[in-house]
Amino acid sequence: MARPAQLGFQDAAAPIMEELLHLHDHAMMVVFLISTFVLYIITLLITTTLTHTETMNAQMVETVWTVLPAVILILIALPSLRILYLMDEISTPHLTIKAIGHQWYWTYEYTDYDDMTFDAYMVPTQALTPGTLRLLEVDHHTIVPVDSPTRVLVTAEDVLHSWAVPALGIKTDAIPGRLNQTMFTTSRPGLFFGQCSEICGANHSFMPIVMESTSLNTFEGWSTTMIQP
């Protein structure tokens, strides 16, 4: 999860998020090189008193500063398009979860099981136990097995919401009357926190999401207790 005064992203917990971090580093390196080059040119223009008259109408210089930015944009766009298609790719999931946004809590339905549905409310500050996180903890965690492709169907019952977990690289809009889907695979066990990322009303910032990635045996034991009458 994010820490106070953190300047970078959260540690990736899914392959898609790792790819997004690599794209960010790639784009930032390009921006850094361009900024350094522009600063160098500006410094030369300020410090030198000579004027090279032959470069004032140089066709080659104009060609270079037109073609070079296009090449740089292509170098950024190609990996970006690749990740965009990877994020939209829905392969054969091992588990399907339906997340329904309400004002202001989430309902989760494990569609592969019979009658396995629960609501996830934020834990009030006065009810927090030592070590839990204020405004991020919920009373029921959404548990998924590690290294298992999981599909999430996202919708809303009343207004627009957004189901987002930064460590997993997920942000999907929850729209009433529409069913959006996304997919992720957790690469390690742990707790991954998120929140509603849409301004859905007065309490939109109090719709936390807690994804808990566990081993397959632990998940099966938890699912057995959840579906008991």
Side-chain angles (χ1 to χ4, degrees), residues 152-187:
V152 182
L153 305 176
V154 183
T155 187
E157 187 181 40
D158 36 45
V159 298
L160 292 176
H161 298 282
S162 184
W163 198 81
V165 183
L168 302 178
I170 298 175
K171 185 178 184 297
T172 304
D173 289 337
I175 304 173
R178 180 171 179 176
L179 201 62
N180 291 330
Q181 66 176 350
T182 186
M183 195 166 183
F184 67 90
T185 303
T186 56
S187 55

Side-chain angles (χ1 to χ4, degrees), residues 11 23-24 32-33 43 61 79-80 98 115 118 127 132 135 141 144 152 154 156 168 190 204-205 207 223:
D11 293 335
L23 175 63
H24 171 267
F32 174 77
L33 293 176
T43 304
V61 174
S80 176
K98 185 178 181 181
D115 197 24
F118 60 88
T132 53
L135 302 182
H141 292 178
V144 296
V152 182
V154 183
L168 302 178
H204 89 98
S205 59
M207 291 181 63
S223 62

Side-chain angles (χ1 to χ4, degrees), residues 8-209:
F9 291 97
Q10 299 182 26
D11 293 335
I16 288 295
M17 190 58 191
E18 293 177 1
E19 295 289 339
L20 290 173
L21 292 180
H22 294 160
L23 175 63
H24 171 267
D25 296 341
H26 169 70
M28 287 300 295
M29 182 56 66
V30 173
V31 171
F32 174 77
L33 293 176
I34 293 175
S35 302
T36 303
F37 177 73
V38 172
L39 181 62
Y40 172 71
I41 296 299
I42 293 176
T43 304
L44 287 182
L45 292 175
I46 295 175
T47 57
T48 184
T49 58
L50 301 177
T51 301
H52 198 285
T53 58
E54 294 183 1
T55 61
M56 300 301 293
N57 296 313
Q59 296 295 324
M60 182 58 69
V61 174
E62 294 182 5
T63 302
V64 169
W65 75 40
T66 302
V67 174
L68 188 59
V71 173
I72 294 174
L73 289 176
I74 291 174
L75 292 177
I76 297 176
L78 289 180
S80 176
L81 291 173
R82 171 179 171 271
I83 297 177
L84 185 63
Y85 278 99
L86 286 176
M87 294 177 68
D88 288 337
E89 181 70 22
I90 304 295
S91 58
T92 305
H94 295 175
L95 180 67
T96 299
I97 303 173
K98 185 178 181 181
I100 305 172
H102 306 272
Q103 290 183 318
W104 286 272
Y105 63 96
W106 294 97
T107 297
Y108 296 98
E109 299 177 2
Y110 284 70
T111 59
D112 299 300
Y113 297 84
D114 293 332
D115 197 24
M116 186 172 171
T117 304
F118 60 88
D119 298 329
Y121 291 88
M122 185 190 74
V123 177
T125 302
Q126 61 273 16
L128 290 173
T129 58
T132 53
L133 302 173
R134 178 177 172 269
L135 302 182
L136 289 176
E137 189 60 62
V138 298
D139 54 356
H140 291 94
H141 292 178
T142 307
I143 301 181
V144 296
V146 68
D147 291 330
S148 295
T150 303
R151 175 176 59 181
V152 182
L153 305 176
V154 183
T155 187
E157 187 181 40
D158 36 45
V159 298
L160 292 176
H161 298 282
S162 184
W163 198 81
V165 183
L168 302 178
I170 298 175
K171 185 178 184 297
T172 304
D173 289 337
I175 304 173
R178 180 171 179 176
L179 201 62
N180 291 330
Q181 66 176 350
T182 186
M183 195 166 183
F184 67 90
T185 303
T186 56
S187 55
R188 56 185 172 87
L191 291 176
F192 311 114
F193 297 89
Q195 287 178 309
C196 176
S197 299
E198 187 72 43
I199 301 178
C200 59
N203 294 327
H204 89 98
S205 59
F206 303 100
M207 291 181 63
I209 302 165

Side-chain angles (χ1 to χ4, degrees), residues 113 115-116 143 218-229:
Y113 297 84
D115 197 24
M116 186 172 171
I143 301 181
T218 303
F219 172 78
E220 290 177 345
W222 170 79
S223 62
T224 302
T225 61
M226 289 295 294
I227 61 179
Q228 285 182 352

